[in-house]
Amino acid sequence: MAVSTENPQTQKQVLNRLRRAQGQLNAVIGAIESGAGCREVVIQLAAVSSALDKAGFQIIATAMQKCVTDPDDQSDPMTVQELEKLFLTLT
C-alpha cells in the first residue's frame, strides 16, 4: 500500500502535517541563525517532533486499517508484526 494514496483526504492530512513540520523546522533554523534563546528553539523543535509523529502515526494507522479490512491486498504486503515494529519506531 502506498502512503495514504487510497484515501485522498488522508493523504491531504498527512501532507498538511508534513508541511507544517517543514515550516516549523524552518522556524527552528531561523531562530538559531538569529541567535534566539534556548526556550524558543526547544519549543519549535518540540512542535516539529510532534507534527512528524502525528504524520507517522496517521500513515501507520491507515496501513493497519488496510491490513485488517483487506488482508489479501498485495500492493504493499506487510504483516501485522511489521506494522507493529514500524509503530514502535515512532514511540
Side-chain angles (χ1 to χ4, degrees), residues 70-83:
D70 192 2
D72 296 327
D73 180 15
Q74 293 299 310
S75 61
D76 188 7
M78 285 199 289
T79 65
V80 172
Q81 291 79 17
E82 290 170 318
L83 288 168

Side-chain angles (χ1 to χ4, degrees), residues 26-69:
N26 287 336
V28 170
I29 292 168
I32 291 171
E33 289 175 341
S34 68
C38 177
R39 178 177 300 172
E40 182 180 343
V41 171
V42 171
I43 288 171
Q44 286 295 329
L45 281 173
V48 171
S49 179
S50 176
L52 291 174
D53 286 346
K54 287 177 182 177
F57 289 135
Q58 190 162 17
I59 291 168
I60 291 171
T62 300
M64 286 181 164
Q65 183 179 20
K66 180 70 173 168
C67 183
V68 170
T69 60

